[in-house]
Amino acid sequence: MKIALKEIIFAAVILTFAACKNTSENNGPNEEPIDSEVSLWLTSANESQLLEKQNVALNFAPAAPGGTIIEIDDNKKYQAIDGFGFTLSGGSAELINALQTPEREQLIQELFSRKDDAIGINYLRISVGASDLSSELFTYDEVAKGQTDVNLDHFSIEKEKKDLIPVLKMILTVNPDIQIMASPWTAPTWMKDNESYIGGSLKPEYYKAYANYLVKYIKAFEAEGIKIDALTPQNEPLHPGNNPSMYMEAKDQAEFIKSALGPIFQEAGVKTKIVIYDHNADRPDYPISILDDPEAKKYIDGSAFHLYGGSIDALSEVHNAHPDKNIYFTEQWVGGPQDFGGELKWHVENLIVGAIRNWSRTVLEWNLAADKDYNPHTDQGGCSNCLGALTIDGQNVSRNVAYYIIGHASKFVSSGSQRIESGIVAGLPNVAFITPEGKKVLIVLNTTKERKSFFIQDKEKAVNTSLAAGSVATFVW
């Protein structure tokens, strides 16, 4: 029996629209689950939906008849994904560790496991010594003013055994494969030309001592059962006003890596990746100039970025200059009090979509937890309004916008996934992945001021859906 092509297309449209009626509306928790080939998780700009699974039928029909189409092509694969997560600052660890045991264990399960009610964070960044979101200033080898400790006889991570190390051990029981990047905010003050926690530069005569300090740090954490997967030599090397902080120009970072850090890591058998820069996208010349030095480049895994300045496509500029080296996105804050809808839109568009489309293997938000007054933080230069993904007020825990930004990716995109091709569509920035298990994941944001209908096309089949203004959806099939 012959059937006209237009009849097939018409039938496909009717079937698809019928299957997807009320696509982005929750049918309510008391209704029976609907059979659906595609799972849909939604966060709305007005907070009426917060990473909630939608009880709707999203079933593929033979083809998309036209209109707005996001086309998926898993034959075109890009970078592997290491993970999505947060900086576990010293202050974050302190607040989490202060929770009573049942609440703390439940929270860690929710954050780091891959259970249905968890968000599956699979990458963390921690500070080497204090960051500006620590309760106090410290390094692992401070001595009296005027003294030095080149042999590192006074090296100790004892301060980390109170909160950070216990919390990391709890996390590792839930996700033993979580990857951890470490970043120092400063070297020990006796190694610096101003002998201060704020600003100053590492003296060249202490390059080897500092490299040995970082080796001791990695091995001390390893002895606690905590593997440091990657290390940046300096957080925000062009921002000497933070507390703590240390200024390090590109030529100095290159010299430190090729003359001290790289060779000493090699001699000590340290496998931790060296990741350079760790600062804003407005200076792609910084990592490019280091990678242009072959003696430094041979020790370097890749470059890390923040986005307090510049444009996210600068990550591609660095990738294109040195495509054999990796790209990481390691920090972006949310300032309090939060503008939920505005932050959701900006961070998903620029980081979850933007950083990944520009070759990043990670997206990390800053920071995991703070209290209701944005504490803990250091004085005179510490961030006084950094909103955590969690607000921990005594024993009460609430979830803020960064929790949902990261959750839309971390819950579904496991380590070892790969970015795959997805069509660029005006008003619907998106990014797609294929997981090691063969699941496809598509994250879509509606940046327009009205509901948008569109098709997701995967080879010769398509499903129709829609998304309210300012909302974020993760589709999984």
Side-chain angles (χ1 to χ4, degrees):
M1 182 173 63
K2 292 182 178 180
I3 300 174
L5 178 60
K6 65 180 181 181
E7 290 175 333
I8 294 173
I9 293 174
F10 178 75
V13 175
I14 296 299
L15 283 169
T16 308
F17 274 95
C20 303
K21 188 179 178 184
N22 298 324
T23 296
S24 296
E25 295 173 7
N26 194 325
N27 289 345
N30 298 321
E31 295 196 14
E32 288 295 317
I34 293 172
D35 287 336
S36 182
E37 293 177 89
V38 181
S39 298
L40 166 58
W41 300 75
L42 185 68
T43 296
S44 55
N46 64 6
E47 302 180 66
S48 61
Q49 304 279 302
L50 294 169
L51 194 52
E52 291 183 33
K53 189 174 185 181
Q54 305 300 293
N55 192 22
V56 294
L58 282 171
N59 295 308
F60 285 106
T68 303
I69 300 171
I70 299 175
E71 189 169 355
I72 309 300
D73 184 356
D74 62 351
N75 290 319
K76 293 182 180 177
K77 293 184 173 73
Y78 300 91
Q79 78 274 24
I81 302 300
D82 288 335
F84 298 85
F86 298 92
T87 296
L88 177 68
S89 63
S92 297
E94 184 180 319
L95 292 167
I96 291 169
N97 207 31
L99 292 170
Q100 293 178 4
T101 301
E103 288 76 14
R104 185 175 63 240
E105 290 178 349
Q106 184 177 348
L107 179 63
I108 287 174
Q109 285 284 343
E110 176 191 337
L111 293 173
F112 298 98
S113 81
R114 301 209 70 82
K115 295 179 180 177
D116 287 347
D117 57 354
I119 63 169
I121 294 167
N122 45 16
Y123 207 105
L124 285 174
R125 182 172 176 242
I126 60 175
S127 61
V128 179
S131 76
D132 59 308
L133 294 188
S134 295
S135 294
E136 59 178 316
L137 291 166
F138 66 94
T139 71
Y140 304 129
D141 196 335
E142 287 301 309
V143 293
K145 284 287 184 187
Q147 294 184 5
T148 62
D149 184 24
V150 176
N151 294 326
L152 305 174
D153 296 325
H154 298 285
F155 180 93
S156 172
I157 61 164
E158 197 63 32
K159 283 185 183 293
E160 305 291 27
K161 294 182 180 179
K162 180 175 181 291
D163 295 307
L164 180 64
I165 286 173
V167 171
L168 285 172
K169 287 181 176 180
M170 292 176 222
I171 291 166
L172 285 164
T173 64
V174 172
N175 181 358
D177 298 320
I178 196 163
Q179 294 184 65
I180 300 170
M181 176 181 285
S183 302
W185 265 238
T186 183
T189 57
W190 57 267
M191 297 186 186
K192 298 168 71 177
D193 57 12
N194 68 348
E195 298 186 3
S196 169
Y197 279 106
I198 301 176
S201 297
L202 182 65
K203 289 183 174 181
E205 58 261 39
Y206 294 128
Y207 279 4
K208 289 185 178 178
Y210 190 41
N212 284 318
Y213 170 91
L214 294 171
V215 168
K216 287 180 79 76
Y217 161 75
I218 289 164
K219 292 195 169 182
F221 269 64
E222 194 175 75
E224 296 291 332
I226 299 163
K227 177 188 174 187
I228 304 300
D229 184 72
L231 175 120
T232 67
Q234 177 59 39
N235 169 69
E236 297 191 344
L238 300 178
H239 177 29
N242 209 346
N243 189 16
S245 58
M246 187 168 77
Y247 184 73
M248 184 179 275
E249 292 185 0
K251 62 180 175 58
D252 299 322
Q253 190 161 119
E255 186 61 36
F256 171 59
I257 290 167
K258 69 184 181 182
S259 70
L261 189 63
I264 286 171
F265 268 24
Q266 209 166 62
E267 289 164 19
V270 169
K271 303 298 184 186
T272 299
K273 303 179 186 86
I274 297 172
V275 178
I276 59 173
Y277 190 43
D278 209 6
H279 208 171
N280 291 332
D282 57 354
R283 289 293 305 276
D285 60 297
Y286 188 115
I288 288 172
S289 69
I290 297 174
L291 294 171
D292 284 345
D293 183 335
E295 288 304 305
K297 181 178 179 175
K298 67 184 181 183
Y299 298 112
I300 294 167
D301 172 83
S303 309
F305 293 88
H306 308 173
L307 196 57
Y308 305 112
S311 172
I312 198 66
D313 58 10
L315 279 61
S316 281
E317 184 180 340
V318 177
H319 167 82
N320 293 338
H322 291 275
D324 55 331
K325 296 300 178 181
N326 292 314
I327 300 289
Y328 301 87
F329 190 89
T330 49
E331 182 184 318
Q332 194 67 30
W333 82 317
V334 173
Q338 73 179 357
D339 166 15
F340 188 96
E343 297 285 5
L344 181 72
K345 177 180 172 182
W346 190 92
H347 285 246
V348 171
E349 182 172 13
N350 286 283
L351 307 186
I352 301 298
V353 174
I356 299 297
R357 277 192 174 270
N358 285 281
W359 297 98
S360 184
R361 298 173 67 100
T362 60
V363 174
L364 309 180
E365 291 271 341
W366 167 267
N367 57 308
L368 184 55
D371 72 13
K372 61 184 175 58
D373 299 314
Y374 314 117
N375 290 316
H377 61 79
T378 59
D379 295 330
Q380 300 173 351
C383 182
S384 59
N385 66 323
C386 281
L387 180 71
L390 308 172
T391 295
I392 300 180
D393 183 15
Q395 297 298 309
N396 299 314
V397 180
S398 56
R399 290 141 194 85
N400 301 316
V401 67
Y403 174 96
Y404 302 104
I405 292 162
I406 291 297
H408 263 280
S410 60
K411 185 175 179 68
F412 313 101
V413 183
S414 53
S415 299
S417 298
Q418 270 188 290
R419 180 168 84 85
I420 57 176
E421 181 73 9
S422 60
I424 296 172
V425 176
L428 293 170
N430 65 83
V431 65
F433 308 87
I434 189 162
T435 71
E437 300 76 30
K439 290 276 190 183
K440 291 172 189 171
V441 179
L442 175 67
I443 302 171
V444 186
L445 166 70
N446 181 358
T447 58
T448 73
K449 295 182 179 179
E450 58 188 17
R451 178 176 287 275
K452 295 274 285 185
S453 294
F454 57 96
F455 286 89
I456 303 167
Q457 182 159 321
D458 184 3
K459 297 184 174 65
E460 300 305 318
K461 58 185 182 178
V463 63
N464 179 254
T465 186
S466 68
L467 194 55
S471 293
V472 179
T474 300
F475 301 89
V476 184
W477 69 97

